[in-house]
Amino acid sequence: MATFSSVTRQHILQAMVEHDARGGDAFLALYNFEPLPAYVLVHEGRTYDARAVLGVAHRVATGRMATADDFRGMDGAVSLLRRRGFEVSAPTAAAPSPARAVRASTPRTPRTTTPRASTRTPTREERPLAICPTCFQALPATGVCDNCS
């Protein structure tokens, strides 16, 4: 099973360049993808098969081709492509049932949450500088002033 977390926008763009160079049908045939017209990646006025481009982008990123079998549904792939800044058309969801429509129209009380204290450790850039109390210069990582020691 392929994981797509290592696929960047640049990898996707490289796969699209290859798609353009080969042509859509040859690209799909070369990598053994069936057309999936319901999921279209649109970039600079051109359209691409979203699944095939992402599969080839995975190969560019990791050296391993992601096949059509590696995709479990397209929701994750569409989400990843959108997070990388691409426009992807996907089939519209089925209309909600009448019971859900009534329920959705009922006003809800907004939830209030209490802010949580951050549990992450600040990075070196975020930490305040340690200052020498004698000469007021920034202390090095050792914590001992080079001028006053």
Side-chain angles (χ1 to χ4, degrees):
M1 173 93 178
T3 57
F4 296 97
S5 59
S6 60
V7 176
T8 65
R9 180 177 175 83
Q10 188 62 36
H11 297 133
I12 297 165
L13 290 170
Q14 287 175 338
M16 287 192 283
V17 166
E18 184 178 347
H19 180 283
D20 291 340
R22 293 185 187 279
D25 293 334
F27 183 81
L28 292 173
L30 177 66
Y31 294 112
N32 202 26
F33 280 94
E34 291 293 321
L36 192 61
Y39 295 92
V40 177
L41 172 62
V42 181
H43 182 67
E44 295 181 352
R46 295 184 179 184
T47 59
Y48 304 87
D49 184 285
R51 180 177 56 178
V53 167
L54 187 55
V56 174
H58 186 269
R59 180 182 60 87
V60 173
T62 66
R64 181 187 165 276
M65 181 69 191
T67 64
D69 296 335
D70 289 326
F71 292 88
R72 295 196 184 214
M74 282 296 292
D75 291 338
V78 169
S79 175
L80 180 125
L81 289 167
R82 287 180 178 159
R83 281 193 314 267
R84 301 296 188 261
F86 294 100
E87 178 185 339
V88 182
S89 66
T92 57
S97 66
R100 293 189 101 193
V102 169
R103 188 174 177 190
S105 65
T106 306
R108 294 185 179 175
T109 306
R111 265 193 263 178
T112 57
T113 59
T114 56
R116 295 185 204 167
S118 177
T119 57
R120 70 178 187 86
T121 306
T123 63
R124 182 179 175 102
E125 291 80 30
E126 294 174 334
R127 292 183 188 145
L129 288 175
I131 305 293
C132 174
T134 306
C135 65
F136 303 106
Q137 291 188 359
L139 292 175
T142 61
V144 178
C145 181
D146 293 333
N147 296 327
C148 299
S149 59

